[in-house]
Amino acid sequence: MYKNNGIWNGKTIVNKDWIKKSFTNYFSGNPDFEGYGYLFWRKVYTIGNKSFETYQSSGNGGNKIIMFTELPIVMVITAKAYNKPYSHSQVDKIVQEYLLPAVYK
């Protein structure tokens, strides 16, 4: 619904203003992470000189739902590296090096 402006089966379920606020970076310039909106982490992936902004929900073990702001793509990653320090960095590497290059040409 977030990628479809809150609409499902022709009916507004999530207000589009809430979606816009959710995908607004309220913590720019923080050295510890790339940003955070309403319940979503901001992450930017780069291929060559092209940057791809995403907002994503992240769960324990490397589980993620990744929504690209300018591409019509949502990636869902399920993993089970629970409580492991590499869980999220491993998923980010998979997206950066394999999945995003496969869908963006």
Side-chain angles (χ1 to χ4, degrees):
M1 286 189 301
Y2 271 76
K3 287 300 286 181
N4 200 31
N5 290 319
I7 298 171
W8 182 69
N9 281 343
K11 184 176 181 181
T12 299
I13 305 297
V14 179
N15 183 288
K16 67 180 178 179
D17 292 332
W18 175 259
I19 294 169
K20 183 177 179 181
K21 289 177 182 179
S22 297
F23 291 172
T24 297
N25 182 10
Y26 295 103
F27 293 91
S28 60
N30 188 313
D32 296 326
F33 54 89
E34 296 179 49
Y36 191 75
Y38 289 177
L39 305 175
F40 293 96
W41 295 96
R42 178 179 179 267
K43 172 80 178 156
V44 177
Y45 297 96
T46 304
I47 296 178
N49 62 354
K50 179 73 176 152
S51 295
F52 300 91
E53 180 183 48
T54 69
Y55 280 86
Q56 47 189 264
S57 53
S58 297
N60 190 359
N63 295 291
K64 292 189 181 210
I65 300 171
I66 304 167
M67 292 170 278
F68 289 80
T69 57
E70 295 188 27
L71 294 176
I73 296 172
V74 175
M75 293 182 181
V76 177
I77 309 292
T78 58
K80 57 181 184 177
Y82 300 113
N83 302 316
K84 304 292 185 196
Y86 62 82
S87 62
H88 292 289
S89 61
Q90 186 178 57
V91 170
D92 288 336
K93 181 177 181 173
I94 291 168
V95 172
Q96 174 73 44
E97 296 182 12
Y98 301 102
L99 297 178
L100 186 55
V103 298
Y104 180 78
K105 299 183 188 242

